[in-house]
Amino acid sequence: MTLYEELEWRGLIKDVAGEDIKDKLNNEKISFYWGTDPTADSLHLGHYSSLITAKRLAKAGHHPILLVGGATGLIGDPRPTAERELIAKETVEKNIEGIKAQVLRIFDGNAEIVNNYDWMKDFSFLDFLRDIGKYINVSYMLGKDIISRRLESGITFAEFSYTLIQGYDFLHLFRSKNCVLQAEGADQWGNITTGLELIRKIEGKEAYGFTMPLVLDKYGNKFGKSAGNALWLDINKTSSYELYQYLINVDDSMVVSYLKIFTFLSREEIEELEARNAANPELREAHKALAREIITDLHGEAEYEKAVNISNALFSGNVKALSLADIKVGFRDVPTVEIEDNGTTLIDVLVNNKICSSRREAREFLNAGSITLNGDKVTDENLAITRDLAIEGEVIVLRRGKKKNYIVKFA
């Protein structure tokens, strides 16, 4: 397959501008850019779907310019329903540093990163209106989908002018870096075409653009902050284990498309995984490959192995194989109970903390061997629960039945 054919096969092409774009991608080495606003100090999996496409282009020999919107981030891209809250300049600057570090890691240090604040900060309002605003008709801007959808509820002039600023970014990079292509998520199509229009009218030349379909979960939601389901690329916000759990549990109907979008596995490898998944879905081979490729690319092989080890240990109940740090990751959302280190009996821990509804129920679970401490079955209701039993002297993992886990800490 040519590069463009591969992008189409992977479902990465939605809207396209420029008659020669296939030839540019397949037969030339060009500079292209992808951009994001620093609305948080970390990117998320929705951004990664676009970044991995940019990385795909870079692997094919094209030069990636990754723009972090220090200027546009101070205004905010119009949302479909309501105006974004303005972010303080200090917060924007902090967010930029976090995003830069992530981008450089994903691209192994081989990406050019630019900040549009650098060329917008000295641009006077009057100069911008004369040099840029005069080339774009208001009727053209009103035709943009995101703007037209906000007209009834109201849109501020700041939001309305956002597309002009992003359009100028493309023009600036076209002039200064011979950047001839912009590649973004589908929600940025209107901004891409504004840039193309400025380049055509001011420079009298053609540039190119394409958008990628937004990646959705099985419910049709975007991977993003506003959807409330962000999977952060910052390992301190979303651990490798949490990412692993999400990916191995994605819906079977989504896993093959995710493999095409998020991984560099070949067509043959993906089709083989698709066949295996169809024949033995319970093995989740496609899901495990998806998790392996994404986590390894983001955080390295050691983090992937760590995520697998935590998952296996929790599934088997062998929590003694885990370190305290691993337990804190794997049991982050598990209920925690706190007791005094004074020899409280096991049955009192179970009843006083409502792990069991009564002493009778607690004894039934104990007699059935359904209570474990750090993976070991216990039946003695009078066992003294002390810090000596704790992993690294801090926590005890108490399990009731097959799925109810609790973390016991000492006051």
Side-chain angles (χ1 to χ4, degrees):
M1 289 188 288
T2 64
L3 173 60
Y4 194 86
E5 287 172 339
E6 182 180 355
L7 294 174
E8 286 187 310
W9 173 76
R10 290 182 181 273
L12 297 174
I13 300 289
K14 185 176 186 293
D15 301 298
V16 175
E19 293 182 2
D20 301 327
I21 189 170
K22 293 182 182 181
D23 184 62
K24 292 286 181 184
L25 287 172
N26 292 336
N27 302 315
E28 298 184 28
K29 304 303 178 189
I30 62 174
S31 291
F32 70 95
Y33 97 91
W34 171 88
T36 187
D37 283 341
T39 55
D41 60 2
S42 172
L43 301 174
H44 52 68
L45 202 62
H47 295 117
Y48 182 65
S49 66
S50 297
L51 276 173
I52 205 70
T53 300
K55 190 172 181 178
R56 212 178 297 281
L57 298 184
K59 282 179 172 285
H62 302 296
H63 175 65
I65 301 171
L66 304 176
L67 183 150
V68 183
T72 41
L74 292 171
I75 297 172
D77 197 357
R79 290 180 3 184
T81 54
E83 185 176 6
R84 296 179 188 271
E85 289 188 19
L86 292 179
I87 305 174
K89 185 176 179 181
E90 296 75 18
T91 302
V92 168
E93 291 172 351
K94 174 179 174 291
N95 291 349
I96 286 172
E97 293 308 308
I99 291 171
K100 278 183 178 180
Q102 290 178 342
V103 168
L104 286 173
R105 185 168 60 251
I106 291 169
F107 280 79
D108 303 317
N110 299 317
E112 182 178 2
I113 300 178
V114 297
N115 180 350
N116 61 11
Y117 185 76
D118 292 338
W119 56 82
M120 290 300 303
K121 66 180 186 299
D122 298 322
F123 215 148
S124 76
F125 182 66
L126 288 175
D127 286 343
F128 188 76
L129 290 179
R130 287 173 60 86
D131 297 346
I132 305 303
K134 74 185 296 282
Y135 289 98
I136 300 296
N137 292 325
V138 170
S139 58
Y140 175 84
M141 296 174 69
L142 291 174
K144 300 293 183 184
D145 177 64
I146 196 68
I147 292 176
S148 64
R149 289 162 65 185
R150 284 285 303 280
L151 289 178
E152 186 173 337
S153 61
I155 185 170
T156 65
F157 182 77
E159 294 176 286
F160 183 69
S161 62
Y162 182 98
T163 189
L164 285 179
I165 301 174
Q166 192 179 125
Y168 177 71
D169 288 342
F170 199 174
L171 174 63
H172 175 84
L173 294 174
F174 181 88
R175 287 169 165 173
S176 63
K177 298 182 179 295
N178 194 31
C179 175
V180 298
L181 169 71
Q182 184 178 359
E184 302 281 355
D187 56 350
Q188 296 299 308
W189 178 244
N191 297 324
I192 291 176
T193 53
T194 298
L196 295 172
E197 187 77 354
L198 287 173
I199 292 168
R200 183 183 66 82
K201 287 185 173 180
I202 297 174
E203 299 296 313
K205 296 180 180 179
E206 183 181 20
Y208 308 88
F210 75 86
T211 64
M212 298 152 271
L214 298 178
V215 181
L216 307 175
D217 63 19
K218 67 177 180 179
Y219 303 108
N221 298 318
K222 295 193 301 181
F223 292 115
K225 301 185 299 300
S226 58
N229 60 344
L231 292 160
W232 300 102
L233 305 192
D234 184 340
I235 199 169
N236 296 310
K237 288 175 174 283
T238 300
S239 68
S240 294
Y241 168 73
E242 290 172 304
L243 190 54
Y244 179 82
Q245 286 300 309
Y246 180 87
L247 294 170
I248 64 168
N249 287 295
V250 300
D251 194 81
D252 284 358
S253 64
M254 308 300 294
V255 68
V256 173
S257 66
Y258 288 175
L259 283 168
K260 293 177 180 179
I261 293 167
F262 288 110
T263 80
F264 289 98
L265 296 177
S266 68
R267 180 171 185 167
E268 292 73 23
E269 289 171 316
I270 291 173
E271 288 177 347
E272 182 178 351
L273 285 167
E274 182 177 18
R276 289 182 182 178
N277 199 57
N280 301 105
E282 72 282 358
L283 298 180
R284 307 196 79 71
E285 290 187 66
H287 302 70
K288 291 174 182 177
L290 177 69
R292 181 190 68 238
E293 294 299 309
I294 291 178
I295 295 172
T296 300
D297 189 56
L298 286 175
H299 304 307
E301 189 174 346
E303 277 296 324
Y304 169 71
E305 295 295 339
K306 178 181 177 181
V308 172
N309 291 339
I310 293 174
S311 182
N312 290 341
L314 297 186
F315 181 78
S316 67
N318 184 25
V319 295
K320 286 182 178 179
L322 301 177
S323 67
L324 178 63
D326 292 341
I327 287 172
K328 288 180 177 179
V329 169
F331 290 95
R332 178 179 291 181
D333 299 321
V334 165
T336 298
V337 300
E338 192 169 283
I339 66 172
E340 298 289 335
D341 187 16
N342 58 6
T344 305
T345 63
L346 175 56
I347 195 167
D348 284 336
V349 171
L350 293 172
V351 176
N352 293 345
N353 294 284
K354 296 181 171 52
I355 297 171
C356 295
S357 61
S358 65
R359 299 178 81 83
R360 176 182 175 183
E361 185 183 62
R363 290 188 178 105
E364 289 175 351
F365 277 110
L366 287 164
N367 291 334
S370 298
I371 300 294
T372 66
L373 298 180
N374 296 333
D376 295 330
K377 289 183 181 180
V378 288
T379 56
D380 182 3
E381 67 180 69
N382 294 314
L383 176 69
I385 306 302
T386 65
R387 194 179 293 272
D388 293 339
L389 300 174
I391 293 173
E392 296 184 30
E394 286 201 32
V395 301
I396 295 171
V397 179
L398 188 157
R399 174 178 287 186
R400 192 202 79 184
K402 293 183 178 180
K403 294 183 178 180
K404 289 284 188 179
N405 290 298
Y406 301 84
I407 292 293
V408 178
K409 299 176 70 174
F410 295 90

